[in-house]
Amino acid sequence: MNILISNDDGIYAAGVRALAEALSDTEHRITVVCPDRERSATGHALTLQEPLRVDQIEGVYPSNIEAWACSGTPSDTVKLALDALLSDRPDLVLSGINRGANLGTDVLYSGTVSAAMEGVLEGVPSIAFSLTSFAHLDFSAAANFAKKMVNMIATYPLEEAILLNVNIPAIPESDICGAVVTRLGIRRYKDLFEKRVDPRGKTYYWLSGVVVEEEAEADTDIQAIRDNYVTITPLKYDLTLAAAIPFMNTWTEKLATLTGS
């Protein structure tokens, strides 16, 4: 296959290098296009008010892998790769391996997931990979699982251009219990804005946050990670709440009556 790899942690991040190196000894053609610096939690942002710049990266990845650094967001990098940099359209887009989990509602903010979603928006099946720890720096188990998934897709292609959000527990590979298909759980954060003053006396704020609540039913990605399983969650970009449409239809009929009065 022709495979495009991107991420949100930047072109030099350990996770994307581990992923590319794991696939470098396969028969697949690998191209890496990543942001030139960390772009975590950028969601699906695109750069519209300034130009995008790209530089080819030498000496970082295996010699059979072409790598580029882009000045934009994760979504920019995939869009630019698909529409400008690559001569042949990829069969698969991979994003990651992210440093830190992308579980539950994290996917709404994640640059890792958004890079993969950009591939789906352009009709290419995509996978976002995340290792569920910021402190754990051994990406080997995650990279090995990613390689197995890619080989599986090469043999048994996905039926449509879908996004698979994959989280790998940050534990020894021998302790992973297997892989399960899950739905998204819910994570709620308490946002903390630390107020600071810069050397010129101007106030600024630094955002941080902690998880204060998780809804982790048995079939969710959050619970499966707690149980030491790799989670695979199929996602779509259609955010329509179909169950609310019948009520909204009656609601708008009443609204029309009120407007008329």
Side-chain angles (χ1 to χ4, degrees):
M1 292 189 296
N2 185 17
I3 298 174
L4 169 65
I5 298 178
S6 190
N7 74 346
D8 71 352
D9 288 331
I11 189 70
Y12 300 107
V16 69
R17 292 171 63 182
L19 177 59
E21 288 169 6
L23 295 174
S24 65
D25 63 354
T26 66
E27 60 184 9
H28 309 301
R29 178 184 174 189
I30 310 298
T31 305
V32 177
V33 185
C34 293
D36 58 6
R37 58 194 182 280
E38 184 169 343
R39 292 283 195 167
S40 297
T42 53
H44 210 99
L46 295 175
T47 301
L48 301 178
Q49 305 303 324
E50 56 187 64
L52 292 176
R53 305 185 186 279
V54 291
D55 293 297
Q56 193 159 10
I57 302 299
E58 304 285 354
V60 175
Y61 290 86
S63 59
N64 60 336
I65 292 179
E66 187 175 284
W68 299 81
C70 170
S71 63
T73 67
S75 296
D76 284 330
T77 64
V78 174
K79 185 179 285 291
L80 184 70
L82 294 177
D83 298 330
L85 294 179
L86 300 183
S87 56
D88 298 316
R89 198 159 185 82
D91 303 295
L92 187 64
V93 171
L94 307 179
S95 181
I97 302 165
N98 189 63
R99 183 171 62 92
N102 278 305
L103 297 167
T105 40
D106 292 347
V107 302
L108 297 174
Y109 304 97
S110 168
T112 302
V113 175
S114 293
M117 185 64 80
E118 188 61 45
V120 173
L121 288 172
E122 299 217 20
V124 183
S126 303
I127 309 174
F129 293 103
S130 300
L131 182 67
T132 61
S133 172
F134 290 101
H136 190 81
L137 298 179
D138 184 358
F139 289 88
S140 59
N144 289 340
F145 185 80
K147 185 175 181 179
K148 291 178 183 177
M149 281 199 73
V150 168
N151 290 336
M152 173 69 85
I153 291 172
T155 306
Y156 304 101
L158 297 170
E159 294 183 353
E160 57 182 305
I162 64 173
L163 167 57
L164 300 178
N165 184 46
V166 178
N167 282 272
I168 301 95
I171 58 178
E173 190 167 6
S174 58
D175 292 337
I176 295 177
C177 296
V180 292
V181 177
T182 63
R183 64 181 178 88
L184 293 177
I186 297 176
R187 305 181 91 189
R188 294 185 177 88
Y189 290 82
K190 178 177 177 57
D191 293 328
L192 303 173
F193 288 91
E194 183 177 342
K195 186 177 180 179
R196 300 180 182 179
V197 178
D198 70 17
R200 297 186 178 181
K202 294 186 177 181
T203 300
Y204 67 98
Y205 293 87
W206 196 271
L207 172 62
S208 62
V210 293
V211 177
V212 294
E213 183 181 0
E214 293 183 327
E215 293 183 12
E217 297 179 12
D219 60 343
T220 63
D221 54 355
I222 294 172
Q223 185 57 48
I225 284 293
R226 291 177 180 173
D227 294 335
N228 293 337
Y229 285 90
V230 173
T231 65
I232 304 172
T233 307
L235 302 179
K236 62 178 182 178
Y237 51 77
D238 180 1
L239 301 179
T240 305
L241 181 58
I245 290 177
F247 166 76
M248 292 305 302
N249 284 333
T250 62
W251 191 83
T252 52
E253 290 171 3
K254 296 173 183 177
L255 179 64
T257 302
L258 291 174
T259 303
S261 62

